[in-house]
Amino acid sequence: AFCILANGGRAVTPHIVAAVVDESGQIVKLPAHQNTSGHIISPEVANWVVRKALAAVVSEGTGKQAALKNYQVFGKTGTAEIAMKQQGGYTSDNIASFVGGAPADDPAVVVLVSVRKPDKSLMKGSTGGAVAAPVVKEILEDTLRYLNHPQDQD
């Protein structure tokens, strides 16, 4: 769903491998991307969700720990209780998640990190914003640098 939003409302074909490179870093084989369907949602709605609503989660809300200095990150935090199937109710543990991407104006990367049963003894918190968002930040930062993606201009 986030990839569809980042792609302006158009479907995205999932790929496990983006490219195969040789030892000198040259691309040997690039999988064919075939997105034949039209828009799932309108481009206007997709762009508003990414550039306004999800960007605000990072700039003003619970996803602040995913913010990057040179790119506007967009994303959503999630914290879910873990159900006890046999007994009913919930455990005292949770799942902390953050899904985000960057840059908001020209999305190049989308990342999801989910941590099942965050280690509370580390005193870092157990929410998606506290546990998963910082990991997404590091992945986005390294990936955008690897891709040589142009930085946002202020």
Side-chain angles (χ1 to χ4, degrees):
F2 264 71
C3 289
I4 291 169
L5 290 169
N7 198 36
R10 294 182 73 89
V12 176
T13 304
H15 293 278
I16 295 173
V17 176
V20 176
V21 295
D22 63 19
E23 59 277 354
S24 66
Q26 298 298 312
I27 294 176
V28 185
K29 176 183 172 187
L30 190 62
H33 297 283
Q34 296 179 342
N35 293 324
T36 57
S37 65
H39 286 90
I40 306 298
I41 61 174
S42 75
E44 296 79 19
V45 171
N47 289 331
W48 179 86
V49 170
V50 168
R51 295 176 181 170
K52 299 293 184 196
L54 296 174
V57 170
V58 176
S59 62
E60 304 169 23
T62 56
K64 287 181 181 176
Q65 290 195 51
L68 293 173
K69 180 180 177 185
N70 297 315
Y71 301 96
Q72 175 59 61
V73 176
F74 61 95
K76 181 68 182 93
T77 59
T79 306
E81 295 177 311
I82 299 174
M84 294 187 292
K85 295 178 185 176
Q86 302 298 326
Q87 308 91 323
Y90 300 93
T91 70
S92 60
D93 293 309
N94 65 294
I95 300 170
S97 302
F98 186 82
V99 59
D105 286 339
D106 182 21
V109 181
V110 173
V111 176
L112 166 65
V113 171
S114 290
V115 180
R116 183 177 172 84
K117 299 182 179 180
D119 187 347
K120 295 176 184 170
S121 71
L122 297 174
M123 306 299 284
K124 303 261 184 192
S126 62
T127 64
V131 175
V135 179
V136 169
K137 173 185 179 171
E138 287 188 36
I139 294 169
L140 288 173
E141 194 167 47
D142 290 346
T143 303
L144 290 165
R145 183 175 39 252
Y146 173 79
L147 295 173
N148 288 321
H149 197 282
Q151 297 179 9
D152 286 345
Q153 303 297 317
D154 288 332

